[in-house]
């Protein structure tokens, strides 16, 4: 199929882009296009206008500071994945990005675009949610910061207004004594995950003080569950704790029962890996 007719605008300034969005209720933002273009071709989306932001200056950055990693709206997945500084500041970025689609798509797709597309089957929305990051958005009314916990409203639906552009995502750095891990099961590497699981564990150098698990392709929105009590209790079951807050979905790719099984298998495995990572980092800090 071919897309429905639409107007096309390629502004050269952010102000021009924001004005266009404010003046056209049915407009959509085009960055990498790896999610939007297929929707257009299948006529699952029919915007009245595409506002192509690829000519906007100053949005292609991957900046690392003491507090974490800031990724601009036009930074491609491949650029974030290639940043050794970003991987050192927040290792979960590289762990998850290596599973995002295939190299050709990572070369064009944008990390921020993937996040605000709000697909619960994609890795980066869950990563931002698990790390308690945020997205900076701009409109003709000004700028605001949206915490990840308030960003995802439903399937393929964010809380951004129609006239807002996500200009930057912030991923907090990994604190001393903390560790992360990520695994997913897919039919082929690069396909959407049947289930993906990431863990973020904080320790005091040895004992676990906080443990959280995030899930890909399990529910309609990215879900993060605090399993601290379960991992601190020798008889605890973190997978059962997580499943009490999840509603595994059934679709043409997997049954709800199979997704439930994968959660039971992957959650303890990824938590153990994140705990090992945290303790190894604590050891490095003590013995540099």
């Amino acid at each position: 199929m071919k897309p429905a007719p639409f107007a096309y605008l390629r502004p050269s300034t952010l102000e021009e882009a924001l004005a266009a969005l404010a003046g056209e209720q049915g407009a959509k933002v085009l960055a990498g296009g790896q999610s939007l273009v297929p929707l257009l071709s299948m006529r699952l989306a029919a915007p009245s206008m595409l506002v192509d932001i690829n000519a906007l200056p100053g949005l292609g950055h991957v900046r690392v500071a003491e507090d974490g990693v800031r990724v601009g709206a036009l930074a491609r997945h491949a650029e974030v994945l290639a940043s050794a500084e970003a991987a050192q500041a927040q290792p979960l970025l590289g762990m998850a990005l290596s599973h995002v689609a295939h190299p050709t798509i990572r070369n064009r797709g944008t990390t921020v675009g993937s996040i605000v597309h709000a697909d619960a089957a994609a890795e980066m929305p869950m990563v931002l949610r698990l790390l308690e990051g945020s997205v900076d958005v701009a409109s003709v009314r000004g700028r605001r910061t949206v915490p990840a916990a308030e960003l995802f409203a439903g399937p393929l639906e964010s809380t951004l207004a129609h006239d807002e552009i996500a200009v930057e995502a912030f991923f907090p750095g990994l604190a001393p004594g903390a560790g992360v891990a990520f695994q997913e099961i897919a039919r082929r590497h690069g396909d959407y995950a049947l289930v993906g699981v990431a863990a973020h564990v904080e320790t005091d150098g040895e004992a676990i003080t906080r443990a959280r698990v995030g899930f890909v392709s399990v529910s309609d929105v990215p879900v993060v569950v605090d399993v601290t009590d379960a991992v601190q209790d020798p008889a605890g079951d973190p997978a059962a704790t997580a499943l009490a807050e999840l509603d595994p979905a059934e679709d043409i790719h997997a049954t709800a029962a199979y997704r439930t099984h994968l959660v039971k298998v992957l959650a303890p495995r990824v938590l153990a890996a994140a705990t090992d990572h945290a303790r190894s980092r604590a050891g490095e800090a003590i013995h540099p």
Side-chain angles (χ1 to χ4, degrees):
M1 294 180 67
K2 295 182 179 179
F6 56 83
Y8 174 81
L9 178 68
R10 187 179 172 93
S12 57
T13 67
L14 179 60
E15 292 73 20
E16 184 184 355
L18 296 176
L21 288 174
E24 186 67 38
Q25 178 75 30
K28 289 282 187 180
V29 175
L30 174 66
Q34 299 307 291
S35 298
L36 178 59
V37 170
L39 293 178
L40 295 176
S41 297
M42 292 183 286
R43 298 205 176 190
L44 296 175
S48 57
M49 174 187 288
L50 286 188
V51 179
D52 184 344
I53 66 171
N54 281 278
L56 302 188
L59 295 181
H61 58 275
V62 181
R63 297 181 184 136
V64 180
E66 290 185 3
D67 58 345
V69 182
R70 297 186 180 275
V71 177
L74 294 178
R76 313 297 166 174
H77 291 308
E79 294 170 333
V80 183
L81 182 59
S83 171
E85 295 82 2
Q88 183 175 5
Q90 181 44 260
L92 189 57
L93 285 175
M95 294 178 187
L97 280 166
S98 64
H99 290 272
V100 172
H102 303 279
T104 301
I105 292 175
R106 291 198 296 267
N107 286 341
R108 187 63 187 169
T110 63
T111 298
V112 174
S114 175
I115 290 169
V116 296
H117 185 58
D119 190 346
E123 293 83 359
M124 300 317 294
M126 181 276 294
V127 168
L128 189 80
R129 180 79 173 81
L130 178 64
L131 295 178
E132 299 177 317
S134 60
V135 170
D136 285 353
V137 302
S139 71
V140 294
R141 299 179 302 281
R143 297 201 179 208
R144 66 187 181 109
T145 298
V146 183
E150 301 173 9
L151 183 60
F152 306 108
L156 301 181
E157 182 184 3
S158 78
T159 58
L160 270 61
H162 78 91
D163 61 344
E164 290 182 315
I165 295 177
V167 294
E168 184 179 77
F170 171 65
F171 300 89
L174 192 59
V180 290
F182 180 89
Q183 290 187 26
E184 69 175 39
I185 301 295
R187 295 185 184 278
R188 298 175 303 172
H189 182 78
D191 285 0
Y192 279 115
L194 299 176
V195 168
V197 180
H200 183 280
V201 172
E202 300 173 24
T203 72
D204 59 8
E206 186 60 31
I208 295 173
T209 58
R210 190 186 189 207
R212 298 164 67 249
V213 188
F215 297 91
V216 175
S217 286
V218 176
S219 301
D220 289 338
V221 295
V223 177
V224 172
V225 181
D226 191 310
V227 295
T228 305
D229 291 343
V231 299
Q232 290 176 337
D233 182 353
D237 186 342
T241 299
L243 284 166
E245 299 189 29
L246 297 171
D247 184 18
E250 181 166 342
D251 55 28
I252 62 172
H253 304 293
T255 64
Y258 184 55
R259 285 195 164 96
T260 298
H261 171 72
L262 290 179
V263 169
K264 292 178 179 179
V265 171
L266 292 179
R269 185 185 300 173
V270 175
L271 278 165
T275 302
D276 289 344
H277 184 221
R279 289 170 176 162
S280 70
R281 294 181 71 245
E284 291 171 0
I286 296 172
H287 306 288

